[in-house]
Amino acid sequence: MFGAWQVGVWRVLRERFQPDLIVGASAGALNGWAIAGGCSCEELANEWMDPLTAQAMQVGVNSAGIPMQAALHAKARKLFERYHPRVPFGLVVVELPRFRPRLVRDNEITWRHLAATCSIPMVFPPVEIDGKSYVDGGLLAALPLYSAEQMGATRAVAVNALTTLPFRLLRGVLRPRRPSSALEVIRIEPSVRLGGLLDAARWTRNNVERWIEQGAGDATRVLTSFTM
C-alpha cells in the first residue's frame, strides 16, 4: 500500500520533466506501467482511493473457495488492458528456484508479469510464466536502478518508499544488485515513516490520502535543489 506515496511523488515529477524510460518493481511496477501508458495523476490516485484496491492484498480463499490471489491477478489484467506504454518500460521479477532477478521489458510484458512482480513470497503463490515460476521483484530489486541503467539510463530519479528497518535489513541480507557509479541518481524517499508492516498490507482511505500528500511534499523538497 506504500505505493500510494509514489502517486504524490509523481504529481510533482510530472510538472518538472517527462521520463525517457520507466522501470519498477512490485507496486512501483504497477504505478510505472500506468504512468508509462499516459495515466493522469488523478486517475492513478483514484486507483489507490478505490476500496477494491484492498482486495488485491487479501490472502487465503473467499467464501466461494476462490483463491484471493484472483483479486491481484484481476488488478494486473485491468491495468495491462487499460494502459499501453508510450515510453520504454521495464519491470523486475524474481525467478524461482534460482532466486535470480530478471528484467522484463516492453513487448515481453504480459499481465502475468505485472501480477508476478507483486506476488509477495509466502503471501501469494508464484506466478507461472512459460514454465517458470516468478515472485515479487521487490524481493531483490525494490529500487531496480541497475535495470534502468541496463535500459540505457544515465540519470535517474529513484522513488523509494521502502526505507523502514525491516526492508533495510532485507536488503542487507539479500544484497541487491547495484548500478555502476556512472549512473547519476536523485533519490526521493519518505521524510516521515509511512507506517508499519500492517499499514503496508491494509487499505484505509485516510492512509492513502495522507501518503499521497506526503509524497508530493517529499518530492517538492528534494527537487527544489535540482535542475531536471
Side-chain angles (χ1 to χ4, degrees):
M1 291 301 156
F2 291 165
W5 172 84
Q6 298 173 344
V7 180
V9 174
W10 175 240
R11 181 188 295 173
V12 174
L13 288 180
R14 65 175 180 166
E15 301 295 335
R16 302 290 295 272
F17 81 113
Q18 290 297 316
D20 297 313
L21 62 90
I22 297 173
V23 182
S26 200
L30 300 186
N31 284 335
W33 175 267
I35 291 168
C39 177
S40 70
C41 189
E42 291 73 21
E43 290 174 321
L44 193 57
N46 287 337
E47 288 286 345
W48 285 94
M49 291 290 187
D50 186 350
L52 293 178
T53 298
Q55 296 181 6
M57 286 299 296
Q58 293 178 349
V59 298
V61 296
N62 62 18
S63 58
I66 299 174
M68 288 299 192
Q69 72 187 79
L72 173 60
H73 289 196
K75 184 74 170 181
R77 281 179 179 272
K78 175 185 174 183
L79 290 175
F80 181 78
E81 293 170 359
R82 178 175 294 183
Y83 302 107
H84 303 280
R86 303 173 185 177
V87 298
F89 175 81
L91 60 79
V92 177
V93 292
V94 174
E95 181 185 339
L96 299 179
R98 302 176 69 180
F99 217 61
R100 182 180 68 177
R102 179 189 168 194
L103 170 65
V104 188
R105 54 182 298 181
D106 302 320
N107 293 334
E108 298 177 323
I109 297 171
T110 68
W111 73 265
R112 290 185 176 275
H113 292 97
L114 290 175
T117 195
C118 293
S119 293
I120 304 168
M122 296 182 290
V123 176
F124 296 110
V127 176
E128 300 293 325
I129 305 173
D130 296 331
K132 295 182 179 180
S133 299
Y134 297 97
V135 294
D136 194 332
L139 183 64
L140 296 179
L143 198 63
L145 288 167
Y146 74 89
S147 295
E149 190 172 37
Q150 186 176 334
M151 290 179 64
T154 57
R155 193 181 194 199
V157 178
V159 182
N160 180 23
L162 304 182
T163 58
T164 53
L165 183 60
F167 301 107
R168 294 202 306 272
L169 289 175
L170 183 64
R171 286 194 289 271
V173 172
L174 298 178
R175 296 190 178 280
R177 183 176 172 184
R178 299 184 182 279
S180 74
S181 58
L183 183 66
E184 182 182 352
V185 180
I186 299 171
R187 289 179 179 266
I188 302 177
E189 298 179 334
S191 58
V192 177
R193 184 173 180 268
L194 297 179
L197 291 177
L198 182 59
D199 296 304
R202 181 182 61 188
W203 182 94
T204 71
R205 186 178 184 89
N206 286 341
N207 274 348
V208 170
E209 291 176 342
R210 176 170 59 86
W211 291 334
I212 291 175
E213 289 304 314
Q214 182 178 332
D218 290 335
T220 298
R221 279 187 289 274
V222 171
L223 295 183
T224 51
S225 304
F226 293 91
T227 300
M228 304 304 294

